[in-house]
Amino acid sequence: MARIAGVNIPTNKRVLIALRYIHGIGPAMAAEICQKVGIANDRRVNQLTDAEILQIRETIDREYLVEGDLRREVATNIKRLMDLGCYRGLRHRRSLPVRGQRTHTNARTRKGPAKAIAGKKQATRK
């Protein structure tokens, strides 16, 4: 099992797909990395030589921000917004949707499970 950027990538998948297991690498970036290193799109991870894996690892380390560094930068950016007190920072602080989505009926993923309103009685039906 190849280990790149601190992540064990699956050996039986194509390199293009396996690179996506690394946080911060998507389809376009995986294709770009394969092109720079000179690996064909249909090659599988278990067919790669140690030198090719080393080339991939060095390319990612040198040119891309992935895994822990990327997570740290995103967290720093969110903390900066919250410290500024701007609208987006306030939405992050209150755990509400940040990008203008409605919250009257939806946003249950961001807001969490529905809470009962205290003081209101349930109407009983006969």
Side-chain angles (χ1 to χ4, degrees):
M1 184 168 272
R3 188 165 178 87
I4 298 174
V7 176
N8 291 329
I9 60 174
T11 55
N12 56 344
K13 294 189 184 258
R14 291 186 305 135
V15 178
L16 275 178
I17 305 301
L19 283 176
R20 296 185 203 178
Y21 279 71
I22 300 170
H23 180 77
I25 295 181
M29 200 178 288
E32 190 178 307
I33 291 168
C34 286
Q35 181 199 8
K36 284 182 181 178
V37 176
I39 294 174
N41 290 341
D42 58 345
R43 294 275 302 275
R44 301 207 174 251
V45 176
N46 56 10
Q47 297 171 342
L48 294 177
T49 64
D50 290 338
E52 288 172 327
I53 292 174
L54 186 64
Q55 273 186 311
I56 292 172
R57 191 177 298 133
E58 288 174 351
T59 303
I60 290 173
D61 288 344
R62 185 176 58 245
E63 298 179 21
Y64 301 102
L65 197 63
V66 293
E67 281 300 323
D69 295 334
L70 179 62
R71 292 179 204 269
R72 193 174 309 108
E73 184 173 316
V74 170
T76 305
N77 290 341
I78 291 172
K79 187 173 181 339
R80 179 181 53 82
L81 290 171
M82 292 188 334
D83 291 343
L84 284 173
C86 65
Y87 182 78
R88 283 173 56 201
L90 295 176
R91 302 300 282 184
H92 276 291
R93 193 178 301 155
R94 294 179 186 158
S95 296
L96 292 170
V98 178
R99 297 185 179 179
Q101 298 91 332
R102 67 178 292 145
T103 57
H104 179 70
T105 55
N106 294 327
R108 286 277 53 115
T109 300
R110 190 80 173 142
K111 290 168 72 173
K115 302 168 196 79
I117 299 173
K120 287 218 175 187
K121 283 190 173 181
Q122 283 284 15
T124 57
R125 288 193 160 193
K126 292 187 179 181

